Amino acid sequence: MISATAQRRHAIDLDDFTAEEIEEILETTGSMKEVLSREIKQVPTLRGRTVVNMFYEESTRTRISFELAARALSANIVNFTARGSSVEKGESLIDTVRTLQALGAEIVVIRHSQSGAPYLVARHFNGAVINAGDGRHAHPTQALLDLFTIHERLGQIRDLKVVIVGDILHSRVARSNLWGLTRMGAQVTLCAPPTLLGPATYWTTTWPEVTISYRVDEALQGADVVMALRIQKERMQAGLLPSLREYSRAYALTPERLAGLSEKTLIMHPGPMNEGVEIWPEVVTAPNAVIEEQVTNGVAVRMALLYRLAG
Ligand code: NCD
């Protein structure tokens, strides 16, 4: 029997992933992590296949980890950045994708500042499309690596209390994590000042299970996982925050604020961090912070997804 999940062509958001498919990916990620722990960190699985990283927006960890993931599977990986390409001569996204296809691309990994850009690419490309972050819409591989990290550390996702704190309004990481976490049975609390959350009904109609809180000390009580998000100044209109100082005073993850939590509570951040704004340096280096592990796990998760889509 062919399961529906075996036929997935693209990974654009987690909204169309079942719990079963997510579990399978997390399991494959474990095997990929084992490959990466070997002396020779490479398997021939995707030998001869071509992956193109198409990055229209800045990135460090996501771009490099897709590259490392493709290489660990022996795929050919080409990095395309809008700067220095024919995009600067006015070539459209669709023409660019068609060109890459003509050059032999089979999997396209795309990051774009425009929400929805990966759907457009998927309509004009015969291969697989992986979304590496589009506007404020989605960042599925970040959510998968977060789920993997939580599961690896705490042995479960179901019934955990996960508090997401920060600039939720502009965050694609929050949106993809909401799909993934709720589908896996976690209890999610969103915590932000009202201007960085937007209308509460938007969240509660899309994800009826979520709890909204405007007070971080209240929200943090009993948390199993605390995920801080970056204040995304580049996506922000003027006036949403009185000042970064005031934001920090009311919402930053400081050692004092986290003092009441269990020592098992995981502290996460997708990076890049504004240390001293949304998270304190002492929290970043605390024993229960898994921020670097998230980055490391990103390679194995992306291997698992490339493998699945190339299949
Ligand atoms: C995030 C992104 O680009 O969406 N970073 C990442 O991929 N790890 C989060 C952010 O930019 O704040």
Side-chain angles (χ1 to χ4, degrees), residues 1 13 29-30 32 65 78 81-82 108 113-114 145 168-169 171 184-185 203 220 233 254 260 274 280 299 301 306:
M1 194 183 82
D13 195 3
T29 301
M32 296 302 179
S65 62
V78 180
T81 38
V108 152
S113 56
Q114 212 67 49
L145 75 88
I168 292 165
L169 179 65
S171 178
M184 300 307 282
W203 303 99
L220 290 177
K233 285 169 258 167
T254 61
N274 296 304
W280 253 231
V299 180
V301 153
L306 286 170

Short mmCIF file of all heavy atoms in Angstrom, two decimals, residues 1 13 29-30 32 65 78 81-82 108 113-114 145 168-169 171 184-185 203 220 233 254 260 274 280 299 301 306:
data_model
loop_
_atom_site.label_atom_id
_atom_site.label_comp_id
_atom_site.label_asym_id
_atom_site.label_seq_id
_atom_site.Cartn_x
_atom_site.Cartn_y
_atom_site.Cartn_z
N MET A 1 0.85 -1.20 0.00
CA MET A 1 0.00 0.00 0.00
C MET A 1 0.88 1.25 0.00
O MET A 1 1.85 1.34 0.74
CB MET A 1 -0.86 -0.01 1.26
CG MET A 1 -2.00 0.99 1.19
SD MET A 1 -2.94 1.01 2.75
CE MET A 1 -1.94 2.08 3.74
N ASP A 13 4.93 24.25 3.55
CA ASP A 13 4.60 24.57 4.94
C ASP A 13 4.25 23.25 5.62
O ASP A 13 4.10 22.24 4.95
CB ASP A 13 3.44 25.56 5.03
CG ASP A 13 3.33 26.17 6.43
OD1 ASP A 13 4.19 25.86 7.30
OD2 ASP A 13 2.40 26.95 6.67
N THR A 29 15.50 11.55 10.49
CA THR A 29 16.50 12.52 10.96
C THR A 29 17.47 11.85 11.93
O THR A 29 18.68 12.10 11.88
CB THR A 29 15.80 13.72 11.64
OG1 THR A 29 14.93 14.33 10.70
CG2 THR A 29 16.81 14.74 12.15
N GLY A 30 16.94 10.98 12.79
CA GLY A 30 17.80 10.24 13.73
C GLY A 30 18.84 9.43 12.98
O GLY A 30 20.03 9.42 13.34
N MET A 32 19.95 10.02 9.95
CA MET A 32 20.87 10.95 9.29
C MET A 32 21.88 11.49 10.31
O MET A 32 23.06 11.70 9.99
CB MET A 32 20.10 12.11 8.64
CG MET A 32 19.18 11.69 7.52
SD MET A 32 20.05 10.82 6.18
CE MET A 32 18.72 10.45 5.05
N SER A 65 23.27 24.93 6.08
CA SER A 65 22.89 23.57 6.47
C SER A 65 22.23 22.82 5.31
O SER A 65 22.41 21.61 5.20
CB SER A 65 22.07 23.53 7.75
OG SER A 65 20.88 24.22 7.59
N VAL A 78 24.16 23.56 -5.93
CA VAL A 78 24.56 24.83 -6.53
C VAL A 78 23.93 25.94 -5.72
O VAL A 78 22.74 25.85 -5.37
CB VAL A 78 24.06 24.92 -8.00
CG1 VAL A 78 24.48 26.25 -8.61
CG2 VAL A 78 24.58 23.76 -8.81
N THR A 81 22.42 33.07 -5.59
CA THR A 81 21.96 34.22 -4.81
C THR A 81 21.53 35.29 -5.79
O THR A 81 22.15 35.46 -6.84
CB THR A 81 23.07 34.79 -3.89
OG1 THR A 81 24.30 34.71 -4.59
CG2 THR A 81 23.19 34.02 -2.60
N ALA A 82 20.44 35.97 -5.45
CA ALA A 82 19.87 36.96 -6.38
C ALA A 82 20.93 37.98 -6.78
O ALA A 82 21.05 38.36 -7.94
CB ALA A 82 18.67 37.63 -5.74
N VAL A 108 14.61 22.45 -5.73
CA VAL A 108 14.93 23.85 -5.50
C VAL A 108 14.60 24.18 -4.05
O VAL A 108 13.52 23.84 -3.56
CB VAL A 108 14.12 24.74 -6.47
CG1 VAL A 108 13.88 26.11 -5.88
CG2 VAL A 108 14.84 24.88 -7.80
N SER A 113 11.67 36.99 0.40
CA SER A 113 11.01 37.90 1.35
C SER A 113 9.50 37.99 1.11
O SER A 113 8.76 38.49 1.94
CB SER A 113 11.63 39.29 1.25
OG SER A 113 11.53 39.71 -0.09
N GLN A 114 9.04 37.48 -0.04
CA GLN A 114 7.62 37.55 -0.38
C GLN A 114 6.92 36.27 0.10
O GLN A 114 7.27 35.18 -0.35
CB GLN A 114 7.53 37.65 -1.90
CG GLN A 114 6.36 38.44 -2.42
CD GLN A 114 6.47 39.90 -2.05
OE1 GLN A 114 7.51 40.51 -2.25
NE2 GLN A 114 5.41 40.44 -1.48
N LEU A 145 13.20 21.00 12.64
CA LEU A 145 14.40 20.82 13.47
C LEU A 145 14.09 21.17 14.93
O LEU A 145 14.66 20.59 15.85
CB LEU A 145 15.59 21.60 12.90
CG LEU A 145 15.66 23.12 13.04
CD1 LEU A 145 16.32 23.53 14.34
CD2 LEU A 145 16.44 23.69 11.88
N ILE A 168 6.03 37.63 17.33
CA ILE A 168 5.26 36.55 16.71
C ILE A 168 4.59 37.03 15.42
O ILE A 168 4.53 36.31 14.42
CB ILE A 168 4.24 36.01 17.74
CG1 ILE A 168 5.03 35.28 18.84
CG2 ILE A 168 3.22 35.08 17.09
CD1 ILE A 168 4.24 35.00 20.08
N LEU A 169 4.14 38.26 15.42
CA LEU A 169 3.43 38.81 14.26
C LEU A 169 4.22 38.63 12.96
O LEU A 169 3.66 38.25 11.94
CB LEU A 169 3.17 40.31 14.49
CG LEU A 169 2.46 41.06 13.38
CD1 LEU A 169 1.04 40.55 13.20
CD2 LEU A 169 2.44 42.56 13.66
N SER A 171 6.70 36.52 12.40
CA SER A 171 7.54 35.32 12.41
C SER A 171 6.99 34.13 11.62
O SER A 171 5.97 33.54 11.97
CB SER A 171 7.79 34.88 13.85
OG SER A 171 8.55 33.70 13.86
N MET A 184 1.41 17.68 16.62
CA MET A 184 2.05 16.65 17.43
C MET A 184 1.53 16.65 18.88
O MET A 184 2.07 15.97 19.74
CB MET A 184 3.58 16.85 17.44
CG MET A 184 4.22 16.77 16.05
SD MET A 184 3.80 15.27 15.15
CE MET A 184 4.89 14.10 15.95
N GLY A 185 0.52 17.47 19.14
CA GLY A 185 -0.16 17.39 20.45
C GLY A 185 0.43 18.23 21.55
O GLY A 185 0.09 18.03 22.73
N TRP A 203 -5.00 34.13 15.45
CA TRP A 203 -4.28 32.94 15.93
C TRP A 203 -5.27 31.88 16.42
O TRP A 203 -5.12 30.70 16.11
CB TRP A 203 -3.32 33.32 17.07
CG TRP A 203 -2.34 34.37 16.62
CD1 TRP A 203 -2.42 35.72 16.85
CD2 TRP A 203 -1.17 34.18 15.82
NE1 TRP A 203 -1.37 36.37 16.26
CE2 TRP A 203 -0.59 35.46 15.62
CE3 TRP A 203 -0.55 33.06 15.25
CZ2 TRP A 203 0.58 35.65 14.87
CZ3 TRP A 203 0.62 33.25 14.51
CH2 TRP A 203 1.17 34.52 14.34
N LEU A 220 5.14 31.85 31.32
CA LEU A 220 6.24 30.91 31.53
C LEU A 220 5.95 29.84 32.58
O LEU A 220 6.63 28.81 32.61
CB LEU A 220 7.51 31.68 31.95
CG LEU A 220 8.17 32.54 30.87
CD1 LEU A 220 9.36 33.30 31.45
CD2 LEU A 220 8.63 31.68 29.69
N LYS A 233 13.35 43.70 13.06
CA LYS A 233 13.22 45.13 12.71
C LYS A 233 12.99 45.33 11.21
O LYS A 233 12.30 46.25 10.80
CB LYS A 233 14.48 45.89 13.17
CG LYS A 233 14.49 46.09 14.69
CD LYS A 233 15.83 46.60 15.18
CE LYS A 233 16.61 45.45 15.80
NZ LYS A 233 17.98 45.61 16.07
N THR A 254 15.41 36.69 30.67
CA THR A 254 16.53 37.03 31.55
C THR A 254 16.69 35.91 32.57
O THR A 254 15.75 35.15 32.81
CB THR A 254 16.25 38.34 32.32
OG1 THR A 254 15.08 38.11 33.13
CG2 THR A 254 15.98 39.51 31.38
N GLY A 260 12.43 30.61 38.07
CA GLY A 260 11.40 29.74 38.65
C GLY A 260 11.14 28.48 37.85
O GLY A 260 10.39 27.61 38.30
N ASN A 274 19.29 38.60 18.88
CA ASN A 274 19.69 39.92 19.36
C ASN A 274 19.94 39.75 20.86
O ASN A 274 19.00 39.87 21.66
CB ASN A 274 18.56 40.95 19.21
CG ASN A 274 18.19 41.20 17.77
OD1 ASN A 274 19.04 41.55 16.96
ND2 ASN A 274 16.91 41.05 17.44
N TRP A 280 18.98 37.09 27.11
CA TRP A 280 20.20 37.54 27.79
C TRP A 280 21.36 36.57 27.52
O TRP A 280 21.12 35.36 27.42
CB TRP A 280 19.93 37.62 29.29
CG TRP A 280 19.80 39.00 29.83
CD1 TRP A 280 20.48 39.51 30.91
CD2 TRP A 280 18.97 40.07 29.35
NE1 TRP A 280 20.12 40.83 31.12
CE2 TRP A 280 19.21 41.20 30.18
CE3 TRP A 280 18.07 40.22 28.29
CZ2 TRP A 280 18.57 42.43 29.97
CZ3 TRP A 280 17.44 41.43 28.09
CH2 TRP A 280 17.70 42.51 28.92
N VAL A 299 21.02 20.21 10.01
CA VAL A 299 21.62 19.50 8.87
C VAL A 299 20.93 18.15 8.69
O VAL A 299 20.50 17.79 7.58
CB VAL A 299 23.15 19.32 9.07
CG1 VAL A 299 23.76 18.58 7.88
CG2 VAL A 299 23.84 20.67 9.27
N VAL A 301 17.98 17.14 9.75
CA VAL A 301 16.58 17.29 9.36
C VAL A 301 16.48 17.58 7.86
O VAL A 301 15.63 17.04 7.15
CB VAL A 301 15.92 18.43 10.18
CG1 VAL A 301 14.77 19.06 9.42
CG2 VAL A 301 15.43 17.91 11.50
N LEU A 306 15.36 16.16 2.16
CA LEU A 306 15.87 16.02 0.79
C LEU A 306 15.70 14.57 0.33
O LEU A 306 15.24 14.31 -0.79
CB LEU A 306 17.36 16.42 0.72
CG LEU A 306 17.68 17.91 0.80
CD1 LEU A 306 19.19 18.12 0.97
CD2 LEU A 306 17.18 18.66 -0.44
#
